[in-house]
Amino acid sequence: MAELVTIARPYAEAVFRLALENKALTAWSERLSLLSEIAADQRMRSCIGNPELSAAQKSELFKSLAGEALAGSEANLIDVLAANERLAALPEIAGLFEALKAGQEGVREATIYSAFPIDDEQLKALTADLETRFKTRLTAEVVVDQSLIGGVKIVVGDQVLDTSVRGKLESLRLALKN
């Protein structure tokens, strides 16, 4: 997967710059989401990987599936990706674009690992506390991980805040080992 990210990054950055110049971040976000869904479909992946189809045929198929959603720039992107055999990278391009958009808007993603489900009220309170701590707006995703035993482990970018029972036990084990 690292190779696909490497391939997708220049395209995502170019699309982001174009969207930023045209003040169309939201529109591009929606279109890339649609294109990503099309590219991720198993049948479409088969077509993308079919050597018997030309780049023009793949591009036309893609554009016909997207329908009215594609304007000039989006259609050009599909043509370029098809010509360079990069249509399979669209989900990665969309993901990288969203990360760039979130950075531009001052929003970061937080993944909250919890031993138990967190209700909406608890999530809202926890997110507010985390926004204060990290000094940025956050979008939070909760992942239930029963191996934590209790507490939460929070990942924001490359920062980890581990207040789980498992994390504390691991710290204690390391302290006793030394």
Side-chain angles (χ1 to χ4, degrees):
M1 272 302 144
E3 181 180 328
L4 204 51
V5 171
T6 303
I7 290 169
R9 183 169 285 110
Y11 293 102
E13 290 171 352
V15 169
F16 178 75
R17 283 192 305 273
L18 177 67
L20 199 56
E21 287 172 11
N22 295 323
K23 296 178 177 44
L25 287 175
T26 302
W28 267 100
S29 178
E30 292 168 359
R31 291 178 192 129
L32 283 174
S33 176
L34 170 67
L35 295 173
S36 174
E37 288 177 29
I38 293 170
D41 182 79
Q42 185 62 39
R43 294 169 293 184
M44 190 61 189
R45 288 192 351 223
S46 295
C47 291
I48 290 170
N50 186 343
E52 294 178 13
L53 293 176
S54 70
Q57 289 172 315
K58 292 175 186 178
S59 178
E60 287 307 313
L61 175 61
F62 221 92
K63 289 189 257 185
S64 70
L65 291 172
E68 302 280 324
L70 294 184
S73 297
E74 296 88 356
N76 289 342
L77 174 65
I78 296 303
D79 291 339
V80 168
L81 292 174
N84 292 303
E85 298 181 15
R86 302 290 195 236
L87 286 170
L90 265 165
E92 291 294 332
I93 293 170
L96 291 169
F97 178 88
E98 288 303 319
L100 291 167
K101 180 178 176 265
Q104 176 70 25
E105 295 171 344
V107 179
R108 295 179 66 193
E109 291 184 21
T111 304
I112 302 170
Y113 298 92
S114 174
F116 304 99
I118 297 176
D119 65 34
D120 289 340
E121 192 173 305
Q122 291 171 320
L123 180 59
K124 188 180 267 188
L126 181 58
T127 302
D129 290 343
L130 292 171
E131 286 176 344
T132 301
R133 180 183 177 97
F134 289 101
K135 296 178 178 70
T136 187
R137 286 187 357 206
L138 297 172
T139 58
E141 171 192 14
V142 177
V143 176
V144 176
D145 181 358
Q146 294 176 345
S147 70
L148 294 178
I149 305 169
V152 294
K153 177 179 171 183
I154 301 157
V155 179
V156 178
D158 60 353
Q159 297 177 325
V160 177
L161 178 63
D162 191 351
T163 63
S164 68
V165 173
R166 183 178 74 190
K168 289 179 182 178
L169 287 173
E170 181 63 20
S171 295
L172 182 61
R173 184 186 71 80
L174 291 173
L176 290 174
K177 192 175 185 179
N178 292 331

Short mmCIF file of all heavy atoms in Angstrom, two decimals, residues 86-152:
data_model
loop_
_atom_site.label_atom_id
_atom_site.label_comp_id
_atom_site.label_asym_id
_atom_site.label_seq_id
_atom_site.Cartn_x
_atom_site.Cartn_y
_atom_site.Cartn_z
N ARG A 86 -3.33 4.95 -13.55
CA ARG A 86 -3.37 5.31 -12.13
C ARG A 86 -4.80 5.37 -11.57
O ARG A 86 -5.01 5.87 -10.48
CB ARG A 86 -2.70 6.66 -11.89
CG ARG A 86 -1.26 6.76 -12.34
CD ARG A 86 -0.37 5.92 -11.46
NE ARG A 86 1.02 6.27 -11.63
CZ ARG A 86 1.95 5.41 -11.97
NH1 ARG A 86 1.65 4.14 -12.20
NH2 ARG A 86 3.21 5.79 -12.09
N LEU A 87 -5.78 4.89 -12.30
CA LEU A 87 -7.17 4.94 -11.82
C LEU A 87 -7.35 4.19 -10.49
O LEU A 87 -8.15 4.60 -9.66
CB LEU A 87 -8.13 4.38 -12.87
CG LEU A 87 -8.40 5.28 -14.06
CD1 LEU A 87 -9.18 4.53 -15.14
CD2 LEU A 87 -9.13 6.54 -13.64
N ALA A 88 -6.58 3.14 -10.29
CA ALA A 88 -6.67 2.37 -9.05
C ALA A 88 -6.24 3.18 -7.84
O ALA A 88 -6.57 2.85 -6.70
CB ALA A 88 -5.84 1.10 -9.15
N ALA A 89 -5.52 4.27 -8.07
CA ALA A 89 -5.05 5.11 -6.96
C ALA A 89 -6.09 6.12 -6.49
O ALA A 89 -5.84 6.84 -5.53
CB ALA A 89 -3.77 5.84 -7.39
N LEU A 90 -7.24 6.17 -7.13
CA LEU A 90 -8.24 7.17 -6.75
C LEU A 90 -8.65 7.14 -5.27
O LEU A 90 -8.78 8.20 -4.65
CB LEU A 90 -9.48 7.07 -7.64
CG LEU A 90 -9.43 8.02 -8.83
CD1 LEU A 90 -10.46 7.66 -9.87
CD2 LEU A 90 -9.59 9.46 -8.39
N PRO A 91 -8.87 5.97 -4.65
CA PRO A 91 -9.20 5.99 -3.22
C PRO A 91 -8.10 6.63 -2.38
O PRO A 91 -8.38 7.39 -1.44
CB PRO A 91 -9.40 4.51 -2.86
CG PRO A 91 -9.83 3.88 -4.15
CD PRO A 91 -9.04 4.62 -5.21
N GLU A 92 -6.85 6.37 -2.73
CA GLU A 92 -5.73 6.97 -2.00
C GLU A 92 -5.66 8.47 -2.27
O GLU A 92 -5.38 9.26 -1.36
CB GLU A 92 -4.40 6.31 -2.39
CG GLU A 92 -4.26 4.90 -1.92
CD GLU A 92 -4.19 4.78 -0.40
OE1 GLU A 92 -3.74 5.71 0.28
OE2 GLU A 92 -4.63 3.73 0.10
N ILE A 93 -5.90 8.87 -3.51
CA ILE A 93 -5.91 10.29 -3.85
C ILE A 93 -6.97 11.00 -3.03
O ILE A 93 -6.72 12.07 -2.46
CB ILE A 93 -6.14 10.50 -5.37
CG1 ILE A 93 -4.95 9.95 -6.16
CG2 ILE A 93 -6.39 11.96 -5.69
CD1 ILE A 93 -5.17 9.88 -7.67
N ALA A 94 -8.15 10.42 -2.95
CA ALA A 94 -9.25 11.02 -2.18
C ALA A 94 -8.88 11.12 -0.71
O ALA A 94 -9.13 12.16 -0.06
CB ALA A 94 -10.53 10.21 -2.36
N GLY A 95 -8.28 10.08 -0.16
CA GLY A 95 -7.88 10.11 1.25
C GLY A 95 -6.84 11.17 1.54
O GLY A 95 -6.92 11.91 2.53
N LEU A 96 -5.83 11.27 0.67
CA LEU A 96 -4.80 12.29 0.85
C LEU A 96 -5.37 13.69 0.67
O LEU A 96 -4.99 14.63 1.39
CB LEU A 96 -3.65 12.05 -0.14
CG LEU A 96 -2.81 10.80 0.12
CD1 LEU A 96 -1.91 10.51 -1.06
CD2 LEU A 96 -2.00 10.95 1.39
N PHE A 97 -6.29 13.85 -0.28
CA PHE A 97 -6.94 15.14 -0.48
C PHE A 97 -7.68 15.55 0.80
O PHE A 97 -7.59 16.70 1.23
CB PHE A 97 -7.92 15.08 -1.66
CG PHE A 97 -8.66 16.36 -1.89
CD1 PHE A 97 -8.12 17.34 -2.69
CD2 PHE A 97 -9.89 16.59 -1.30
CE1 PHE A 97 -8.80 18.55 -2.90
CE2 PHE A 97 -10.57 17.78 -1.50
CZ PHE A 97 -10.01 18.77 -2.32
N GLU A 98 -8.40 14.60 1.40
CA GLU A 98 -9.16 14.91 2.63
C GLU A 98 -8.21 15.31 3.75
O GLU A 98 -8.53 16.21 4.54
CB GLU A 98 -10.02 13.71 3.05
CG GLU A 98 -11.21 13.48 2.16
CD GLU A 98 -12.14 14.68 2.03
OE1 GLU A 98 -12.41 15.37 3.04
OE2 GLU A 98 -12.60 14.95 0.90
N ALA A 99 -7.05 14.67 3.84
CA ALA A 99 -6.08 15.04 4.87
C ALA A 99 -5.55 16.46 4.63
O ALA A 99 -5.42 17.25 5.57
CB ALA A 99 -4.93 14.04 4.89
N LEU A 100 -5.28 16.80 3.38
CA LEU A 100 -4.82 18.15 3.05
C LEU A 100 -5.91 19.18 3.34
O LEU A 100 -5.64 20.26 3.87
CB LEU A 100 -4.40 18.22 1.58
CG LEU A 100 -3.14 17.46 1.20
CD1 LEU A 100 -3.01 17.35 -0.32
CD2 LEU A 100 -1.91 18.11 1.81
N LYS A 101 -7.15 18.83 3.00
CA LYS A 101 -8.29 19.72 3.25
C LYS A 101 -8.47 19.95 4.75
O LYS A 101 -8.67 21.08 5.20
CB LYS A 101 -9.55 19.11 2.65
CG LYS A 101 -10.81 19.94 2.84
CD LYS A 101 -11.99 19.25 2.15
CE LYS A 101 -13.28 19.98 2.39
NZ LYS A 101 -14.03 19.45 3.51
N ALA A 102 -8.38 18.88 5.53
CA ALA A 102 -8.53 18.99 6.98
C ALA A 102 -7.42 19.87 7.56
O ALA A 102 -7.68 20.71 8.44
CB ALA A 102 -8.52 17.62 7.62
N GLY A 103 -6.20 19.71 7.06
CA GLY A 103 -5.10 20.55 7.52
C GLY A 103 -5.32 22.01 7.18
O GLY A 103 -5.05 22.90 8.00
N GLN A 104 -5.84 22.28 6.01
CA GLN A 104 -6.14 23.66 5.59
C GLN A 104 -7.22 24.27 6.47
O GLN A 104 -7.16 25.44 6.81
CB GLN A 104 -6.60 23.66 4.12
CG GLN A 104 -7.04 25.00 3.60
CD GLN A 104 -5.89 25.98 3.44
OE1 GLN A 104 -4.74 25.59 3.28
NE2 GLN A 104 -6.19 27.26 3.49
N GLU A 105 -8.18 23.46 6.85
CA GLU A 105 -9.30 23.94 7.66
C GLU A 105 -9.00 23.89 9.15
O GLU A 105 -9.83 24.27 9.97
CB GLU A 105 -10.55 23.12 7.35
CG GLU A 105 -11.03 23.32 5.92
CD GLU A 105 -12.13 22.36 5.51
OE1 GLU A 105 -12.33 21.33 6.21
OE2 GLU A 105 -12.78 22.63 4.49
N GLY A 106 -7.81 23.42 9.52
CA GLY A 106 -7.43 23.36 10.92
C GLY A 106 -8.09 22.24 11.69
O GLY A 106 -8.27 22.33 12.90
N VAL A 107 -8.45 21.17 11.01
CA VAL A 107 -9.10 20.03 11.65
C VAL A 107 -8.18 18.83 11.56
O VAL A 107 -7.62 18.56 10.51
CB VAL A 107 -10.45 19.69 10.96
CG1 VAL A 107 -11.10 18.49 11.61
CG2 VAL A 107 -11.38 20.88 11.00
N ARG A 108 -8.02 18.13 12.68
CA ARG A 108 -7.21 16.91 12.70
C ARG A 108 -8.10 15.74 13.08
O ARG A 108 -9.12 15.91 13.74
CB ARG A 108 -6.06 17.05 13.69
CG ARG A 108 -5.08 18.14 13.26
CD ARG A 108 -3.96 18.32 14.23
NE ARG A 108 -3.10 17.14 14.27
CZ ARG A 108 -2.20 16.93 15.22
NH1 ARG A 108 -2.04 17.81 16.18
NH2 ARG A 108 -1.46 15.84 15.21
N GLU A 109 -7.67 14.56 12.71
CA GLU A 109 -8.43 13.35 13.03
C GLU A 109 -7.89 12.73 14.31
O GLU A 109 -6.68 12.67 14.51
CB GLU A 109 -8.34 12.33 11.90
CG GLU A 109 -9.06 12.77 10.66
CD GLU A 109 -9.04 11.71 9.57
OE1 GLU A 109 -8.83 10.52 9.88
OE2 GLU A 109 -9.23 12.10 8.41
N ALA A 110 -8.80 12.28 15.15
CA ALA A 110 -8.44 11.58 16.37
C ALA A 110 -9.11 10.22 16.35
O ALA A 110 -10.28 10.10 16.02
CB ALA A 110 -8.90 12.37 17.59
N THR A 111 -8.34 9.20 16.70
CA THR A 111 -8.90 7.86 16.85
C THR A 111 -8.88 7.54 18.32
O THR A 111 -7.83 7.60 18.96
CB THR A 111 -8.09 6.82 16.06
OG1 THR A 111 -8.03 7.23 14.69
CG2 THR A 111 -8.75 5.45 16.14
N ILE A 112 -10.06 7.24 18.85
CA ILE A 112 -10.20 6.94 20.27
C ILE A 112 -10.46 5.45 20.41
O ILE A 112 -11.49 4.96 19.96
CB ILE A 112 -11.34 7.75 20.90
CG1 ILE A 112 -11.09 9.25 20.71
CG2 ILE A 112 -11.52 7.39 22.38
CD1 ILE A 112 -12.27 10.12 21.07
N TYR A 113 -9.51 4.76 21.00
CA TYR A 113 -9.67 3.33 21.26
C TYR A 113 -10.20 3.21 22.68
O TYR A 113 -9.60 3.73 23.62
CB TYR A 113 -8.34 2.59 21.13
CG TYR A 113 -7.76 2.67 19.74
CD1 TYR A 113 -6.87 3.69 19.39
CD2 TYR A 113 -8.12 1.76 18.77
CE1 TYR A 113 -6.35 3.77 18.11
CE2 TYR A 113 -7.61 1.82 17.48
CZ TYR A 113 -6.72 2.84 17.17
OH TYR A 113 -6.21 2.92 15.89
N SER A 114 -11.32 2.54 22.83
CA SER A 114 -11.96 2.41 24.13
C SER A 114 -12.31 0.95 24.39
O SER A 114 -12.66 0.21 23.47
CB SER A 114 -13.24 3.25 24.17
OG SER A 114 -13.95 3.04 25.36
N ALA A 115 -12.22 0.55 25.66
CA ALA A 115 -12.57 -0.83 26.02
C ALA A 115 -14.07 -1.05 25.91
O ALA A 115 -14.52 -2.18 25.73
CB ALA A 115 -12.09 -1.14 27.44
N PHE A 116 -14.83 0.03 25.99
CA PHE A 116 -16.29 -0.06 25.96
C PHE A 116 -16.84 0.98 24.99
O PHE A 116 -16.20 1.99 24.73
CB PHE A 116 -16.88 0.19 27.35
CG PHE A 116 -16.32 -0.74 28.39
CD1 PHE A 116 -15.30 -0.32 29.25
CD2 PHE A 116 -16.78 -2.04 28.49
CE1 PHE A 116 -14.77 -1.18 30.19
CE2 PHE A 116 -16.25 -2.91 29.44
CZ PHE A 116 -15.25 -2.49 30.29
N PRO A 117 -18.05 0.76 24.46
CA PRO A 117 -18.65 1.77 23.59
C PRO A 117 -18.81 3.12 24.30
O PRO A 117 -19.05 3.16 25.51
CB PRO A 117 -20.02 1.17 23.24
CG PRO A 117 -19.89 -0.29 23.50
CD PRO A 117 -18.89 -0.43 24.61
N ILE A 118 -18.66 4.18 23.54
CA ILE A 118 -18.80 5.54 24.07
C ILE A 118 -20.04 6.15 23.44
O ILE A 118 -20.17 6.16 22.21
CB ILE A 118 -17.55 6.39 23.73
CG1 ILE A 118 -16.31 5.80 24.40
CG2 ILE A 118 -17.75 7.84 24.15
CD1 ILE A 118 -15.02 6.52 24.05
N ASP A 119 -20.95 6.68 24.28
CA ASP A 119 -22.15 7.28 23.72
C ASP A 119 -21.84 8.68 23.20
O ASP A 119 -20.76 9.23 23.43
CB ASP A 119 -23.32 7.28 24.72
CG ASP A 119 -23.07 8.15 25.95
OD1 ASP A 119 -22.41 9.20 25.83
OD2 ASP A 119 -23.57 7.79 27.04
N ASP A 120 -22.79 9.27 22.49
CA ASP A 120 -22.58 10.56 21.83
C ASP A 120 -22.23 11.67 22.82
O ASP A 120 -21.37 12.52 22.54
CB ASP A 120 -23.82 10.96 21.03
CG ASP A 120 -24.00 10.09 19.79
OD1 ASP A 120 -23.00 9.47 19.35
OD2 ASP A 120 -25.13 10.03 19.27
N GLU A 121 -22.87 11.69 23.98
CA GLU A 121 -22.63 12.73 24.98
C GLU A 121 -21.20 12.62 25.52
O GLU A 121 -20.50 13.62 25.66
CB GLU A 121 -23.65 12.61 26.11
CG GLU A 121 -23.66 13.80 27.03
CD GLU A 121 -24.81 13.71 28.03
OE1 GLU A 121 -25.96 13.57 27.59
OE2 GLU A 121 -24.52 13.80 29.24
N GLN A 122 -20.77 11.40 25.82
CA GLN A 122 -19.41 11.19 26.31
C GLN A 122 -18.39 11.56 25.24
O GLN A 122 -17.36 12.18 25.53
CB GLN A 122 -19.21 9.72 26.71
CG GLN A 122 -19.97 9.29 27.93
CD GLN A 122 -19.89 7.79 28.13
OE1 GLN A 122 -19.96 7.02 27.18
NE2 GLN A 122 -19.74 7.37 29.39
N LEU A 123 -18.68 11.20 23.99
CA LEU A 123 -17.77 11.50 22.89
C LEU A 123 -17.64 13.01 22.70
O LEU A 123 -16.54 13.53 22.49
CB LEU A 123 -18.25 10.84 21.59
CG LEU A 123 -17.39 11.08 20.36
CD1 LEU A 123 -15.96 10.58 20.58
CD2 LEU A 123 -18.00 10.44 19.14
N LYS A 124 -18.75 13.71 22.80
CA LYS A 124 -18.72 15.17 22.65
C LYS A 124 -17.86 15.81 23.75
O LYS A 124 -17.04 16.68 23.48
CB LYS A 124 -20.16 15.72 22.70
CG LYS A 124 -20.26 17.19 22.36
CD LYS A 124 -21.69 17.66 22.44
CE LYS A 124 -22.32 17.56 21.07
NZ LYS A 124 -23.65 18.17 21.03
N ALA A 125 -18.03 15.36 24.98
CA ALA A 125 -17.26 15.91 26.11
C ALA A 125 -15.78 15.57 25.95
O ALA A 125 -14.90 16.43 26.16
CB ALA A 125 -17.80 15.37 27.43
N LEU A 126 -15.48 14.33 25.58
CA LEU A 126 -14.10 13.90 25.41
C LEU A 126 -13.44 14.67 24.27
O LEU A 126 -12.30 15.13 24.39
CB LEU A 126 -14.03 12.40 25.16
CG LEU A 126 -12.65 11.78 24.97
CD1 LEU A 126 -11.76 12.05 26.18
CD2 LEU A 126 -12.77 10.29 24.71
N THR A 127 -14.16 14.85 23.17
CA THR A 127 -13.62 15.59 22.02
C THR A 127 -13.33 17.04 22.41
O THR A 127 -12.30 17.59 22.03
CB THR A 127 -14.60 15.52 20.84
OG1 THR A 127 -14.83 14.15 20.50
CG2 THR A 127 -14.04 16.24 19.62
N ALA A 128 -14.22 17.65 23.17
CA ALA A 128 -14.00 19.03 23.62
C ALA A 128 -12.74 19.12 24.48
O ALA A 128 -11.92 20.04 24.31
CB ALA A 128 -15.21 19.53 24.40
N ASP A 129 -12.54 18.16 25.39
CA ASP A 129 -11.33 18.14 26.22
C ASP A 129 -10.08 17.95 25.36
O ASP A 129 -9.05 18.60 25.59
CB ASP A 129 -11.41 17.02 27.27
CG ASP A 129 -12.43 17.30 28.35
OD1 ASP A 129 -12.86 18.47 28.50
OD2 ASP A 129 -12.80 16.33 29.06
N LEU A 130 -10.16 17.07 24.39
CA LEU A 130 -9.02 16.81 23.51
C LEU A 130 -8.69 18.01 22.63
O LEU A 130 -7.52 18.30 22.38
CB LEU A 130 -9.29 15.58 22.64
CG LEU A 130 -9.34 14.25 23.38
CD1 LEU A 130 -9.82 13.14 22.44
CD2 LEU A 130 -8.00 13.90 23.98
N GLU A 131 -9.72 18.72 22.18
CA GLU A 131 -9.47 19.92 21.37
C GLU A 131 -8.72 20.97 22.18
O GLU A 131 -7.85 21.65 21.66
CB GLU A 131 -10.79 20.48 20.84
CG GLU A 131 -11.36 19.64 19.71
CD GLU A 131 -12.72 20.12 19.22
OE1 GLU A 131 -13.39 20.90 19.94
OE2 GLU A 131 -13.12 19.69 18.12
N THR A 132 -9.05 21.07 23.47
CA THR A 132 -8.34 22.00 24.35
C THR A 132 -6.90 21.55 24.53
O THR A 132 -5.96 22.35 24.45
CB THR A 132 -9.05 22.08 25.72
OG1 THR A 132 -10.39 22.50 25.51
CG2 THR A 132 -8.35 23.06 26.63
N ARG A 133 -6.71 20.26 24.75
CA ARG A 133 -5.37 19.72 24.98
C ARG A 133 -4.49 19.84 23.74
O ARG A 133 -3.32 20.22 23.83
CB ARG A 133 -5.45 18.27 25.41
CG ARG A 133 -4.10 17.64 25.65
CD ARG A 133 -4.23 16.17 26.02
NE ARG A 133 -2.94 15.56 26.19
CZ ARG A 133 -2.34 15.38 27.34
NH1 ARG A 133 -2.92 15.77 28.46
NH2 ARG A 133 -1.16 14.80 27.39
N PHE A 134 -5.02 19.52 22.56
CA PHE A 134 -4.24 19.53 21.33
C PHE A 134 -4.30 20.87 20.60
O PHE A 134 -3.65 21.04 19.57
CB PHE A 134 -4.69 18.40 20.40
CG PHE A 134 -4.29 17.03 20.89
CD1 PHE A 134 -5.21 16.21 21.53
CD2 PHE A 134 -2.99 16.58 20.74
CE1 PHE A 134 -4.84 14.96 21.99
CE2 PHE A 134 -2.61 15.33 21.19
CZ PHE A 134 -3.54 14.51 21.83
N LYS A 135 -5.11 21.79 21.10
CA LYS A 135 -5.23 23.15 20.54
C LYS A 135 -5.59 23.15 19.06
O LYS A 135 -5.01 23.88 18.25
CB LYS A 135 -3.96 23.93 20.78
CG LYS A 135 -3.66 24.17 22.25
CD LYS A 135 -2.37 24.92 22.44
CE LYS A 135 -2.07 25.21 23.87
NZ LYS A 135 -1.71 24.09 24.69
N THR A 136 -6.54 22.30 18.69
CA THR A 136 -7.02 22.23 17.31
C THR A 136 -8.41 21.60 17.32
O THR A 136 -8.79 20.95 18.28
CB THR A 136 -6.07 21.40 16.43
OG1 THR A 136 -6.49 21.50 15.08
CG2 THR A 136 -6.02 19.95 16.84
N ARG A 137 -9.14 21.82 16.23
CA ARG A 137 -10.43 21.13 16.08
C ARG A 137 -10.16 19.69 15.70
O ARG A 137 -9.22 19.40 14.95
CB ARG A 137 -11.27 21.80 15.00
CG ARG A 137 -11.84 23.12 15.45
CD ARG A 137 -12.81 23.71 14.46
NE ARG A 137 -12.95 22.93 13.23
CZ ARG A 137 -13.31 23.42 12.07
NH1 ARG A 137 -13.58 24.68 11.96
NH2 ARG A 137 -13.42 22.65 11.01
N LEU A 138 -10.99 18.79 16.20
CA LEU A 138 -10.81 17.37 15.93
C LEU A 138 -12.08 16.73 15.41
O LEU A 138 -13.18 17.13 15.80
CB LEU A 138 -10.41 16.63 17.22
CG LEU A 138 -9.09 17.00 17.88
CD1 LEU A 138 -8.95 16.32 19.22
CD2 LEU A 138 -7.93 16.62 16.97
N THR A 139 -11.91 15.76 14.56
CA THR A 139 -12.99 14.84 14.22
C THR A 139 -12.60 13.52 14.84
O THR A 139 -11.48 13.05 14.63
CB THR A 139 -13.19 14.69 12.70
OG1 THR A 139 -11.97 14.22 12.12
CG2 THR A 139 -13.61 15.99 12.05
N ALA A 140 -13.49 12.95 15.62
CA ALA A 140 -13.15 11.75 16.38
C ALA A 140 -13.85 10.52 15.85
O ALA A 140 -15.02 10.56 15.48
CB ALA A 140 -13.50 11.96 17.85
N GLU A 141 -13.11 9.43 15.84
CA GLU A 141 -13.64 8.13 15.47
C GLU A 141 -13.37 7.22 16.67
O GLU A 141 -12.27 7.21 17.22
CB GLU A 141 -12.91 7.59 14.24
CG GLU A 141 -13.25 6.16 13.93
CD GLU A 141 -12.33 5.53 12.89
OE1 GLU A 141 -11.27 6.10 12.59
OE2 GLU A 141 -12.68 4.45 12.40
N VAL A 142 -14.38 6.45 17.07
CA VAL A 142 -14.23 5.56 18.21
C VAL A 142 -14.09 4.13 17.71
O VAL A 142 -14.86 3.67 16.87
CB VAL A 142 -15.45 5.66 19.16
CG1 VAL A 142 -15.32 4.67 20.30
CG2 VAL A 142 -15.60 7.08 19.69
N VAL A 143 -13.08 3.45 18.24
CA VAL A 143 -12.85 2.04 17.93
C VAL A 143 -12.89 1.28 19.25
O VAL A 143 -12.14 1.61 20.18
CB VAL A 143 -11.48 1.82 17.23
CG1 VAL A 143 -11.22 0.35 17.02
CG2 VAL A 143 -11.43 2.60 15.93
N VAL A 144 -13.78 0.30 19.36
CA VAL A 144 -13.87 -0.49 20.58
C VAL A 144 -12.80 -1.57 20.54
O VAL A 144 -12.72 -2.34 19.59
CB VAL A 144 -15.27 -1.11 20.75
CG1 VAL A 144 -15.32 -2.01 21.97
CG2 VAL A 144 -16.33 -0.01 20.86
N ASP A 145 -11.95 -1.58 21.56
CA ASP A 145 -10.86 -2.55 21.69
C ASP A 145 -10.90 -3.10 23.11
O ASP A 145 -10.37 -2.48 24.04
CB ASP A 145 -9.52 -1.88 21.40
CG ASP A 145 -8.33 -2.83 21.49
OD1 ASP A 145 -8.54 -4.03 21.81
OD2 ASP A 145 -7.20 -2.37 21.24
N GLN A 146 -11.53 -4.24 23.29
CA GLN A 146 -11.73 -4.80 24.62
C GLN A 146 -10.42 -5.22 25.29
O GLN A 146 -10.37 -5.37 26.51
CB GLN A 146 -12.69 -5.98 24.55
CG GLN A 146 -14.09 -5.53 24.16
CD GLN A 146 -15.06 -6.69 23.99
OE1 GLN A 146 -14.66 -7.84 23.90
NE2 GLN A 146 -16.34 -6.36 23.94
N SER A 147 -9.35 -5.36 24.51
CA SER A 147 -8.07 -5.75 25.10
C SER A 147 -7.49 -4.63 25.96
O SER A 147 -6.54 -4.86 26.71
CB SER A 147 -7.08 -6.15 24.01
OG SER A 147 -6.67 -5.03 23.26
N LEU A 148 -8.03 -3.43 25.87
CA LEU A 148 -7.55 -2.31 26.70
C LEU A 148 -7.94 -2.49 28.17
O LEU A 148 -7.40 -1.82 29.03
CB LEU A 148 -8.10 -0.98 26.19
CG LEU A 148 -7.62 -0.53 24.82
CD1 LEU A 148 -8.29 0.77 24.43
CD2 LEU A 148 -6.12 -0.38 24.77
N ILE A 149 -8.90 -3.34 28.44
CA ILE A 149 -9.44 -3.66 29.76
C ILE A 149 -10.29 -2.51 30.29
O ILE A 149 -11.41 -2.70 30.73
CB ILE A 149 -8.35 -4.05 30.78
CG1 ILE A 149 -7.50 -5.20 30.23
CG2 ILE A 149 -8.98 -4.41 32.12
CD1 ILE A 149 -6.25 -5.48 31.04
N GLY A 150 -9.80 -1.30 30.26
CA GLY A 150 -10.54 -0.12 30.71
C GLY A 150 -9.80 1.12 30.24
O GLY A 150 -8.65 1.06 29.81
N GLY A 151 -10.46 2.28 30.32
CA GLY A 151 -9.83 3.51 29.90
C GLY A 151 -9.84 3.69 28.39
O GLY A 151 -10.54 2.98 27.68
N VAL A 152 -9.03 4.64 27.92
CA VAL A 152 -8.97 4.93 26.49
C VAL A 152 -7.53 5.14 26.06
O VAL A 152 -6.65 5.48 26.86
CB VAL A 152 -9.79 6.19 26.12
CG1 VAL A 152 -11.27 5.98 26.34
CG2 VAL A 152 -9.30 7.41 26.86
#
